[in-house]
Amino acid sequence: MLVTKVKRILAALGGFALAAFAGGASAEYGLNLHRGVTSISTTAYDLHMLILWVCVAIGVVVFGAMFYSIIMHRKSKGAKPAQFHESTTVEIIWTVVPFLILVSMAIPATKALVAMEDTSNADISIKVTGYQWKWGYDYLEDEVSFLSTLSTPKAQIYNHQDKSEEYLLEVDNPLVVPVNKKVRLLVTASDVIHAWWVPELGMKKDAIPGFINEMWFRIDKEGTYRGQCAELCGKDHGFMPIVVVAKSEADYAAWVTAQKGAADADAAAAERDWDLAGLMERGEKVYSKTCAACHQAGGEGVPGTFPALKGGAIATGDKAAHLALVMNGKPGTAMAAFAGQLSDVDLAAVVTYERNAWGNNKSDLVQPSEVKSAR
C-alpha cells in the first residue's frame, strides 16, 4: 500500500513538472505588482521596486558575508574564533548604516503616502456608498445618481451556461469618469463594512457606515477597469463587482447629459398613474436586481434568515405596511431600507410585483404617488 501511494505521488509530481516546463501549457506567473493606469499606482509600483532591490542588495551583502565566513573560517581550516566582546566601531557602523537605509526608504514612502491622501483641488467629487450587495454612486457636481449591480446572468452562476470572460465582473451601470481629471471619491456604507478596490487605479478604501473615507485617482488612458469589494460583507460578498469606465471629456459630457435625461424621464413617470401590467413588468426587473439575492427568484426566501414572499404575510398582508417595510427596512435584521436606493416608480413597481407574483394575486397595486406621500 505504501509503495503504491509513493508511486502515485511521484507520478503526480512528474506530471506537474511536465506541465510546468511545457512551453505551450505554461501560464503567466504574475508574481509582481501591476503598474496600473494612474499616477498613484505608478508611484506605488516604483516605490515597491525600489525597496525590493534595496532588500535584495541587503540580502546579497548579509548572506554573502555569512557564507564567506562559514566557508573561509571553518574549523577544518584551523580557524580560531576571535576573542573580543565588543567593538565601538562595529556597533556604530551597524547602527548608522541601517538608519541611513531606513531614511532613504522612508522619504519616498512618505511622499507617496502624502500624495495618496491629498484629495484637494479635485475636478469631480463622487459619493460611493456600499450596500448589501451593490454600489451606489452620486455625482455631487453633476447631480447624477444610480446603483451599480452585478449583471452576470444567474444561469452562469448556477452553471447552466458557460461562464463569460468577465464572469462576476460585469455590472449594469458602471462608474463613468473623464480621463485626465482628478476624481475624488467619498466612500461610505449604509449597512456593513465594504471596501472599494480597483487594482489598476492603485487605491482601496474601506466603506464604513457612519464614516466617510476619501481617496482620489486620475486616469490617463481611456478604457474599462474592474475591481471588487475587498471586505467580507455577507452572503453575496463575491457578487458586488466594481467597473470604472474612463471616457474622453466629450464622451463623458454626453454621458452626463444622457443620465440627466433618464432621470427627468423617471421623474415624469412618477407623476402619472400606472396600470398593473406596466408595474409588474418593471417590478420584476427591480426585484431581480434588488431583492432576489435574499428572497430568491421565486420568492421562497431562506428559512430562518429571509422570510418567504410567496404566500407570506408580508406580501399578502396590509399594503401600507408592506410598502413601509420596503422603504424603511427593519432594524436589527438584514432587511435594508430602500427609500434612498430606489425611485418612487421602482418602489411602487417592486411592491406591486411582490403582491401579485408567484400566485399571491392580491390584485392591488401601488402608485408612485403613494410612495411620494409615504416619504
Side-chain angles (χ1 to χ4, degrees):
M1 180 67 71
L2 180 60
V3 173
T4 301
K5 289 183 177 179
V6 171
K7 287 181 177 179
R8 289 177 179 173
I9 292 172
L10 291 175
L13 291 174
F16 175 77
L18 286 173
F21 289 102
S26 61
E28 181 185 356
Y29 285 107
L31 297 179
N32 206 352
L33 290 181
H34 191 69
R35 185 178 288 275
V37 295
T38 65
S39 58
I40 287 296
S41 63
T42 299
T43 299
Y45 177 86
D46 293 340
L47 182 62
H48 157 75
M49 294 307 299
L50 169 65
I51 295 179
L52 171 66
W53 289 118
V54 169
C55 292
V56 168
I58 293 173
V60 169
V61 171
V62 171
F63 283 99
M66 184 178 71
F67 288 125
Y68 175 83
S69 299
I70 292 172
I71 294 170
M72 302 306 296
H73 300 282
R74 61 188 185 273
K75 185 177 181 181
S76 62
K77 293 189 68 173
K80 300 291 185 180
Q83 300 296 320
F84 66 88
H85 296 287
E86 61 185 33
S87 171
T88 302
T89 302
V90 171
E91 289 183 359
I92 292 174
I93 291 173
W94 71 31
T95 300
V96 172
V97 171
F99 173 78
L100 294 177
I101 293 173
L102 289 174
V103 169
S104 69
M105 294 190 294
I107 291 174
T110 302
K111 289 181 178 179
L113 289 173
V114 170
M116 288 179 180
E117 297 300 324
D118 181 13
T119 60
S120 62
N121 301 317
D123 298 301
I124 298 173
S125 295
I126 303 172
K127 180 184 176 185
V128 179
T129 306
Y131 300 98
Q132 290 181 307
W133 289 272
K134 52 188 164 293
W135 295 98
Y137 298 112
D138 298 291
Y139 290 66
L140 303 186
E141 289 90 359
D142 294 317
E143 298 182 349
V144 170
S145 299
F146 57 86
L147 293 175
S148 181
T149 308
L150 175 74
S151 62
T152 297
K154 294 288 185 182
Q156 291 184 20
I157 295 174
Y158 294 117
N159 298 317
H160 299 150
Q161 290 180 359
D162 292 338
K163 292 173 171 51
S164 66
E165 184 178 353
E166 304 299 343
Y167 175 68
L168 297 185
L169 292 174
E170 306 160 295
V171 298
D172 52 359
N173 297 308
L175 177 69
V176 179
V177 298
V179 295
N180 301 318
K181 294 291 184 181
K182 185 172 184 178
V183 180
R184 179 179 65 145
L185 299 185
L186 306 173
V187 185
T188 187
S190 71
D191 35 49
V192 299
I193 298 177
H194 304 273
W196 200 92
W197 175 53
V198 178
E200 288 190 289
L201 303 187
M203 296 293 283
K204 178 173 78 73
K205 281 291 184 179
D206 283 347
I208 304 173
F211 292 85
I212 294 180
N213 289 324
E214 289 185 288
M215 60 182 286
W216 72 273
F217 59 83
R218 180 188 286 108
I219 299 177
D220 302 322
K221 181 181 178 182
E222 292 183 42
T224 300
Y225 309 103
R226 303 179 189 276
Q228 294 170 301
C229 176
E231 188 74 40
L232 186 60
C233 58
K235 179 178 75 70
D236 279 1
H237 160 68
F239 300 99
M240 53 182 301
I242 301 161
V243 178
V244 178
V245 177
K247 295 178 176 286
S248 66
E249 289 189 50
D251 289 342
Y252 173 76
W255 176 83
V256 170
T257 301
Q259 292 295 308
K260 290 183 176 180
D264 291 341
D266 271 351
E271 297 300 323
R272 67 179 177 88
D273 287 337
W274 289 61
D275 59 19
L276 182 60
L279 287 171
M280 288 294 289
E281 180 181 358
R282 182 157 180 163
E284 183 177 11
K285 296 177 182 178
V286 177
Y287 180 87
S288 177
K289 290 171 54 177
T290 307
C291 312
C294 297
H295 295 286
Q296 308 304 305
E300 62 270 21
V302 178
T305 306
F306 303 108
L309 298 177
K310 179 181 179 180
I314 295 172
T316 60
D318 181 68
K319 183 176 72 172
H322 184 182
L323 175 61
L325 179 63
V326 174
M327 292 181 64
N328 304 319
K330 187 175 182 180
T333 72
M335 179 60 193
F338 289 95
Q341 301 183 39
L342 300 177
S343 67
D344 291 352
V345 177
D346 285 343
L347 284 167
V350 75
V351 173
T352 299
Y353 177 76
E354 291 172 355
R355 299 183 67 78
N356 292 278
W358 319 300
N360 288 343
N361 298 328
K362 290 296 292 180
S363 298
D364 55 7
L365 52 85
V366 179
Q367 292 292 349
S369 58
E370 297 178 64
V371 179
K372 186 176 181 180
S373 297
R375 288 188 186 278

